[in-house]
Amino acid sequence: MALWKQTTDLERINSWNRGCMVEHLGMWVTEVGEDFIRGTMPVDARTRQPFGLLHGGASVALAESLGSLAGNLCLDSSEMAVGLEINANHVRAVTAGSVTGTARALHIGRSTQVWEIRIEDERGRLVCISRLTLAVVPRASPKAV
């Protein structure tokens, strides 16, 4: 049984990222499976730190972007998932190419969700392992103008 309560069309999902940090860093959602979301990010001038390595913050941004997206796709339109806590262990340096993150649920509850995000290099080697905890809250109604 799929986790998703919302449409998982890749074109639609990627359109949400226009004009925000996700687009600026070159992240792209590439696959939505029955129980995972996968996306890529380039390792280039936008995502490297001054010593030429993939910036840990860029890895965390990819992890949180994929996990938050996945968490929100598990909810109907009356709720939203927002980040409570994220941690990341950076286990391998990357200097070029791209990395791929895969988010999978560890826990989906009524008020919290926990996601594991594995980020790998182009050879499939683990670069970063992250865990994201999300709070499930009511979606605010748009304010009247």
Side-chain angles (χ1 to χ4, degrees):
M1 176 174 145
L3 300 173
W4 321 124
K5 292 184 179 179
Q6 295 187 38
T7 305
T8 58
D9 174 78
L10 287 176
E11 184 177 330
R12 178 175 166 254
I13 289 170
N14 283 302
S15 74
W16 297 336
N17 298 326
R18 289 191 191 114
C20 67
M21 182 181 73
V22 172
E23 181 181 51
H24 177 72
L25 294 180
M27 295 178 201
W28 195 255
V29 177
T30 58
E31 185 177 1
V32 179
E34 291 239 348
D35 67 346
F36 69 91
I37 289 188
R38 184 168 289 133
T40 62
M41 180 178 67
V43 179
D44 62 16
R46 296 170 289 180
T47 59
R48 284 193 296 254
Q49 40 96 313
F51 303 109
L53 306 174
L54 175 62
H55 194 292
S59 293
V60 171
L62 176 61
E64 185 152 5
S65 297
L66 291 171
S68 292
L69 170 62
N72 278 288
L73 289 175
C74 290
L75 302 172
D76 64 39
S77 60
S78 69
E79 297 176 304
M80 64 187 295
V82 296
L84 280 178
E85 189 270 343
I86 188 166
N87 71 45
N89 294 102
H90 308 288
V91 298
R92 182 180 311 284
V94 181
T95 59
S98 66
V99 291
T100 299
T102 304
R104 284 193 162 84
L106 297 175
H107 165 75
I108 298 180
R110 287 179 297 157
S111 60
T112 61
Q113 298 180 8
V114 180
W115 292 84
E116 177 182 82
I117 303 93
R118 292 180 56 89
I119 299 175
E120 299 174 342
D121 67 11
E122 291 176 331
R123 294 174 53 190
R125 299 177 300 180
L126 184 65
V127 171
C128 176
I129 185 75
S130 182
R131 188 184 66 238
L132 172 66
T133 303
L134 300 170
V136 177
V137 299
R139 186 174 297 277
S141 299
K143 293 184 180 181
V145 179

